[in-house]
Amino acid sequence: MPSALLQRLAEEDETLLAGRETQIDGLMVERLYQLSWPVRYVPFPMLFGAFVLFRDYATWWSIVGLTALYTFGTWYLDRQRSAMQNVVGHLPDPAAWGWRFAFGSALTGLTWGLLCFLYFPAGDAKLQAVMAVAWAGLSSSSLNSRSTHLPSYYAFLLAMSVPIYLRGFLSGELPVIYMLLLGLVLATAMSLVAHNSNRRERLRCALRLRNAELIAELDRARAAAEANHAELEQAYHAILSEFTAAQQIAGHGSWTWDGEAGRLSWSDEFYRLIGLVPQSRPASLAGLLEQVAAADRDAVRRHYQRLRDGAARDEVSFALADPARQGLRLQAIGQAERRGADGAVLIHGILRAHPRDQSTA
C-alpha cells in the first residue's frame, strides 16, 4: 500500500470522501435506522409515567392525541425499517430514505414538545426545572442516535423545542426566558457535537469503503497471479514434456550441477540410459557410480572432478555394470562456466551412447 494512502488513512483525510458520497450516504442512513431500533419503544412507558405524574393537568383528549401521534411516528419508522430490510445490495436513493426518517423523527419529537407545552406550566419553577432536565436528556439521546443524519437530528430537536420555546416566550416570565436562552446555548453546543460526530462517522464509512476496495483489489490481484501461475505451470509442463520426448527420440540424457547450491539433477532420459527408473532416486555422483562398471568408475569420478575444478569442457566414456548392457558404452560430455563474483561453477552435460555404439544403442 502506498505510504501516501497510509498517511491519508491515519489522518482521516477528507479527500477519501470524494467520489463516494452516494455510497457513504447509504451506509449512514442504514446505520441511522439500526441505531434507532433498540430504543424506539422505550418512550411508551415514559409517556404513561408522564400521564400519571401530571394527571392534574392531563385531559383525555391530550392523552389520546399524544399517544396516537407518538404511535403513528413509531409505526411509520418501523414500516420504513422493514422496507429497508428487503433492499438487496446498496440502498437506492439514500436521500429519500433519510428524509423519511426525518419525518418520523419530527413526529416523535413533536409528541414530547406538545407534552411539555401542555403539562409544564410556565409559572411552576419546579416543573420548569424538571422540563429542562427532560429536554436535555431527550436532546442528548437524539444526538447519540440521529447524528449520523443531521436532518433527522434537527427535525427531532426543532419539533420538540418549538412548542416549549413558544410557550416560554409567550409567558413573558424572565426566569423562564433565561432558562430558554441557556437551552439555546446548550442546543448550539450539542449541534456542534452532532456535526463533529457526523463528520467522523462519514470518514469511518469512507474508510470501510476504501478497505473494501483494497480487499477487492487484492482478491483480483491474487486471482490474476493464480491464473498466471496456472498458465506458467501448464506451459512449463508442456515444454518439459516436449523436452523429454525430444531426448527420448535422440537418445540423449542431460544433467546439471549447480556448484553454488550444491545440487545435481538428471533428466528422465539420463535415468533410463544408466538403467534406472526416472526420478526413482535423487541424482548423485555416488548413485551414478553404482551403475558404472567397476573398471570405469575412477575415470568417471575424475571427469566430474575436472569439471568442478574449472575445466571448460571434458568428456569420458564408460560401460555399465549391468551384465545385460555390458556391450553398450556411454559417453558423458560436460561444459563448465563460472558465475557471479565468487566464481561459483555451473556445469551442463549430456549423456549418450558412445558414437561407435550408436547402432547398438
Side-chain angles (χ1 to χ4, degrees):
M1 186 184 297
S3 58
L5 177 57
L6 285 174
Q7 186 69 17
R8 287 168 56 195
L9 295 177
E11 295 179 354
E12 296 186 337
D13 189 347
E14 292 195 12
T15 58
L16 291 170
L17 303 175
R20 300 186 177 90
E21 288 81 1
T22 301
Q23 290 177 292
I24 292 172
D25 288 342
L27 291 175
M28 296 281 281
V29 170
E30 287 179 8
R31 182 162 174 77
L32 174 69
Y33 278 87
Q34 292 168 358
L35 287 174
S36 66
W37 168 250
V39 296
R40 197 168 295 162
Y41 291 94
V42 172
F44 279 102
M46 295 173 62
L47 275 176
F48 178 77
F51 295 146
V52 173
L53 182 64
F54 300 108
R55 57 185 179 274
D56 294 337
Y57 305 99
T59 58
W60 69 268
W61 58 266
S62 65
I63 294 174
V64 172
L66 292 175
T67 303
L69 182 61
Y70 193 87
T71 301
F72 176 72
T74 302
W75 169 83
Y76 177 81
L77 290 174
D78 283 345
R79 188 168 177 269
Q80 300 306 314
R81 182 178 182 275
S82 297
M84 179 182 288
Q85 289 178 335
N86 296 325
V87 175
V88 179
H90 292 296
L91 190 67
D93 195 7
W97 287 92
W99 283 112
R100 292 170 193 169
F101 194 94
F103 175 72
S105 297
L107 292 177
T108 55
L110 183 60
T111 303
W112 295 113
L114 291 175
L115 187 147
C116 292
F117 183 91
L118 295 171
Y119 299 162
F120 289 83
D124 192 323
K126 291 182 179 180
L127 287 180
Q128 287 293 302
V130 172
M131 183 188 69
V133 173
W135 177 88
L138 289 168
S139 300
S140 299
S141 175
S142 178
L143 173 65
N144 293 331
S145 60
R146 293 181 173 88
S147 62
T148 52
H149 186 249
L150 294 176
S152 295
Y153 167 74
Y154 282 116
F156 181 89
L157 184 64
L158 290 174
M160 178 182 64
S161 301
V162 167
I164 298 174
Y165 277 75
L166 181 63
R167 179 167 183 172
F169 281 116
L170 289 178
S171 71
E173 298 185 11
L174 288 179
V176 175
I177 294 175
Y178 292 152
M179 184 180 66
L180 294 178
L181 292 176
L182 181 62
L184 286 175
V185 174
L186 180 59
T188 301
M190 286 192 294
S191 297
L192 293 175
V193 173
H195 278 266
N196 190 43
S197 178
N198 181 270
R199 174 186 172 275
R200 290 199 306 269
E201 187 63 31
R202 292 187 69 83
L203 284 170
R204 277 196 290 267
C205 289
L207 290 176
R208 286 172 55 192
L209 291 171
R210 182 54 180 158
N211 288 339
E213 291 172 0
L214 291 174
I215 291 172
E217 290 175 10
L218 289 174
D219 288 340
R220 287 193 295 269
R222 185 184 299 109
E226 290 175 353
N228 290 336
H229 176 74
E231 292 176 2
L232 290 173
E233 188 172 5
Q234 184 177 5
Y236 165 76
H237 285 297
I239 294 172
L240 182 62
S241 178
E242 293 177 4
F243 175 72
T244 302
Q247 285 201 337
Q248 282 184 294
I249 294 171
H252 288 189
S254 61
W255 60 276
T256 303
W257 185 74
D258 187 341
E260 185 175 4
R263 183 177 62 250
L264 179 66
S265 61
W266 297 335
S267 70
D268 288 353
E269 190 61 22
F270 189 103
Y271 279 92
R272 294 189 185 98
L273 285 172
I274 63 176
L276 296 175
V277 176
Q279 309 305 323
S280 59
R281 64 172 68 177
S284 67
L285 178 58
L288 173 62
L289 294 177
E290 289 178 4
Q291 304 303 116
V292 175
D296 294 329
R297 287 175 184 170
D298 286 341
V300 171
R301 188 180 292 108
R302 289 193 298 271
H303 163 70
Y304 275 81
Q305 190 59 51
R306 285 193 294 272
L307 290 170
R308 291 183 181 184
D309 289 343
R313 180 183 175 88
D314 196 76
E315 62 182 79
V316 67
S317 64
F318 56 88
L320 295 175
D322 186 355
R325 306 182 70 189
Q326 285 183 351
L328 175 66
R329 292 189 67 81
L330 299 177
Q331 183 183 37
I333 303 174
Q335 182 173 306
E337 60 176 295
R338 294 191 177 275
R339 300 182 305 169
D342 57 352
V345 177
L346 176 66
I347 305 172
H348 295 289
I350 63 169
L351 181 67
R352 64 183 180 181
H354 197 280
R356 68 167 180 243
D357 294 330
Q358 286 291 333
S359 59
T360 305

